[in-house]
Amino acid sequence: MFYGAIEAGGTKMNCAVADERSIIDECSLPTTTPEETMAAIFAFFDKYTLATMGVGSFGPIGIDPQQETYGKILATPKKGWQQFDFLGTLKKRYPATRFAWTTDVNAAAFGELKQGAAQGMRSCVYLTIGTGIGAGIVINEEIFQGAGHPEVGHTFVKRYPQDDYVGTCPYHKDCLEGLAAGPSLEARTGIKGQHLPKDHEIWDLQAFYIGQALVNITLTVAPDRIVLGGGVMNQPHLLTKIHDQFTEQMAGYMETPAVTEYIVAWGLPNKSGIIGSLLLGKEAQ
């Protein structure tokens, strides 16, 4: 029996097929137009008869099966993908396949809870910091969502002292994503994040915003563990600064496990989303 998975990002689509034991085939495809991208996805999966498929998509997406927007990508800044019926297109191509549908960060959170840095926990929040910022929430081993899905990256934060940068978010300018995602590092310094020296002062600003976001997450969700991933977290020194900022900004108000055990780096680097999508697909049987 074969299971499919798609981790659908605004830059690339990671696709995988697994049997009962492990991943047997995978590929990464550029996210261009819906027509070109879906044709490439079909070319990959058409070789297999899939029992289930888990899809974790960039968003925002429609997640309420009772609404007309279910299965669609909604107000994304990704040109050409607004209101695209992603799930419906997949179902039309593979009518015998059962689908699980959620956000890419929810899938990653599920992957980290089941096989990554939050194994053994019943709840976790996975926060990804890269080109954008997003969070997936798993509570009692189930993905959390209500009328919509969480959009933690677009919550608002207090500004770092002396930070007058306008922000990169096309919707809100200076929300968390606008002030702390990867593009804001380059916009402020003229240097891509991966090339910034570890002693650059920008990392203190970055840790301030991420630490503040984690305080907000802790005060509202109180997960067993917070897992950090994404391209910006490929800076090991940043995690220590985030720990310090979280501790300082929480100011002793809420008790948590030791900060180095409570806030951790991802256990499945660059694989959280695809593994989580596979696991969600298997549960859709």
Side-chain angles (χ1 to χ4, degrees):
M1 187 176 293
F2 296 123
Y3 309 95
I6 302 174
E7 180 189 16
T11 302
K12 62 183 179 180
M13 300 272 175
N14 294 322
C15 303
V17 174
D19 59 17
E20 294 287 354
R21 297 184 302 276
S22 62
I23 293 174
I24 61 170
D25 196 4
E26 55 188 323
C27 72
S28 183
L29 308 166
T31 305
T32 57
T33 65
E35 294 75 18
E36 290 178 351
T37 305
M38 296 310 295
I41 287 172
F42 294 155
F44 175 74
F45 285 115
D46 281 355
K47 303 187 294 287
Y48 302 94
T49 300
L50 302 173
T52 66
M53 182 184 290
V55 184
S57 175
F58 70 98
I61 62 173
I63 51 90
D64 184 349
Q66 304 305 314
Q67 298 295 320
E68 186 273 334
T69 56
Y70 179 66
K72 293 182 179 180
I73 296 174
L74 304 177
T76 177
K78 182 69 176 176
K79 186 178 179 182
W81 288 82
Q82 297 91 345
Q83 301 302 318
F84 177 67
D85 189 1
F86 195 178
L87 182 61
T89 303
L90 288 167
K91 285 183 171 181
K92 185 176 180 180
R93 183 76 169 197
Y94 306 113
T97 301
R98 294 179 297 283
F99 286 86
W101 167 252
T102 190
T103 65
D104 49 356
V105 284
N106 276 343
F110 195 76
E112 287 291 337
L113 186 86
K114 292 296 185 179
Q115 294 187 8
Q119 280 187 86
M121 305 292 160
R122 291 189 58 79
S123 67
C124 78
V125 172
Y126 169 81
L127 186 76
T128 182
I129 307 112
T131 304
I133 294 179
I137 301 174
V138 181
I139 297 175
N140 292 326
E141 301 186 64
E142 294 186 358
I143 287 173
F144 169 79
Q145 56 192 30
H149 51 79
E151 284 284 357
V152 173
H154 293 273
T155 56
F156 291 95
V157 289
K158 292 189 294 185
R159 279 186 171 269
Y160 185 75
Q162 291 82 52
D163 181 19
D164 58 2
Y165 176 61
V166 65
T168 59
C169 175
Y171 293 96
H172 312 117
K173 298 298 184 185
D174 61 350
C175 61
L176 174 64
E177 180 172 294
L179 293 174
S184 72
L185 296 175
E186 184 175 2
R188 284 186 172 96
T189 65
I191 306 170
K192 290 186 180 295
Q194 63 265 36
H195 301 308
L196 284 164
K198 66 180 181 180
D199 60 351
H200 198 291
E201 62 184 9
I202 196 71
W203 296 119
D204 292 327
L205 176 149
Q206 185 77 359
F208 173 85
Y209 286 128
I210 298 171
Q212 186 181 161
L214 302 187
V215 168
N216 292 339
I217 287 169
T218 299
L219 294 174
T220 53
V221 182
D224 295 327
R225 182 163 290 169
I226 297 174
V227 180
L228 303 180
V232 171
M233 291 312 301
N234 290 328
Q235 308 284 340
H237 62 90
L238 181 57
L239 185 58
T240 299
K241 290 180 178 291
I242 292 169
H243 287 157
D244 292 343
Q245 280 293 330
F246 174 85
T247 301
E248 180 180 335
Q249 295 186 56
M250 182 62 83
Y253 178 72
M254 183 171 173
E255 203 170 296
T256 67
V259 68
T260 54
E261 298 175 8
Y262 180 60
I263 300 169
V264 301
W266 51 355
L268 302 168
N270 304 310
K271 290 287 188 180
S272 309
I274 198 68
I275 289 173
S277 295
L278 279 168
L279 294 171
L280 287 167
K282 287 185 178 182
E283 289 198 357
Q285 295 182 70

